[in-house]
Amino acid sequence: MSTRTAIYSPISLHGRRIVLRTMTEQDYDGWYEVRTRCRDWLLKWEPRSAHASHLADDQRSFVSRCAIRERERQLGTGFGFGIFQDGRFLGEITLSSIQRGPLQSAFVGYWIDEAVAGQGLMPEAVVVLLQYAFESLKLHRIEVNIIPRNAPSRRVVEKLGIRFEGIAERYLEIDGAWGPRALRHHGRGVGRPRSGTRRRLALAATRLSPRQPVGGHIPEL
């Protein structure tokens, strides 16, 4: 295997129904179709200053973002994954702003195709990413910050029992307006969900890529 091939070898993390995989130029068509079809559903929740344009959806910009994500992965500061089911692109999930030293923390962000929202695929993707964050990356704390009125995103963390910490007023500029964020965090041994929910979601992360081994148990949720 060449050095170049080793450096750009993709990461794949497998759940019961979905696969998280680092994205490449070849994923553009699937990404573009979902982003275009779900544009109105997605844009109102995305970080954007009042004077900035929306996320560029041309192929050159997409390839550039993939390259940025790859650099972040090599630096260990962030990991971005596409969410796939049977080869079909469904959305994205990211582990960003990774801090080492005494913090050992990161943020999770996600979005999914409106057509498959509510089917439990995003909670499954979050479980798979959390296992990778805690077991492979050895992080201690993961934060998920959500606009309180964003009910679909809020249901994801509620299903997982991720601990609510409070509301941060005027925390982030979303679609040109400053608004509050509900702060939630997930750390080892903190915020366990109801046992039935945990058993069901534990099935999501029972098989991970041999290329990226992790521990044999689901992280504490």
Side-chain angles (χ1 to χ4, degrees), residues 13 63 66 81 138 180 182 187:
L13 310 177
V63 172
C66 288
F81 298 94
K138 307 300 182 185

Side-chain angles (χ1 to χ4, degrees), residues 82-211:
I83 304 170
F84 298 86
Q85 183 181 40
D86 298 326
R88 173 189 170 194
F89 175 81
L90 300 180
E92 293 184 79
I93 187 167
T94 60
L95 189 68
S96 63
S97 301
I98 295 176
Q99 301 294 316
R100 293 298 187 177
L103 285 177
Q104 299 295 328
S105 66
F107 294 88
V108 167
Y110 49 78
W111 65 268
I112 198 165
D113 188 336
E114 184 179 11
V116 299
Q119 298 180 20
L121 297 173
M122 185 54 78
E124 181 174 331
V126 172
V127 168
V128 173
L129 186 62
L130 289 178
Q131 184 172 15
Y132 181 68
F134 287 121
E135 299 300 324
S136 288
L137 302 180
K138 307 300 182 185
L139 295 176
H140 173 73
R141 174 187 172 97
I142 303 298
E143 294 188 22
V144 185
N145 298 329
I146 298 170
I147 300 174
R149 68 180 187 278
N150 186 345
S153 287
R154 199 174 65 243
R155 281 195 295 271
V156 170
V157 294
E158 288 170 351
K159 287 179 181 179
L160 296 174
I162 294 177
R163 183 177 180 178
F164 174 73
E165 291 195 320
I167 301 292
E169 299 293 343
R170 295 180 57 81
Y171 180 83
L172 191 66
E173 199 169 6
I174 299 292
D175 199 25
W178 288 96
R181 303 287 274 187
L183 306 183
R184 292 179 178 266
H185 94 273
H186 174 48
R188 293 182 181 273
V190 176
R192 296 172 64 88
R194 295 182 297 273
S195 59
T197 301
R198 186 170 187 272
R199 284 195 301 270
R200 185 168 63 254
L201 294 172
L203 295 173
T206 56
R207 183 173 63 86
L208 297 185
S209 169
R211 201 179 287 173

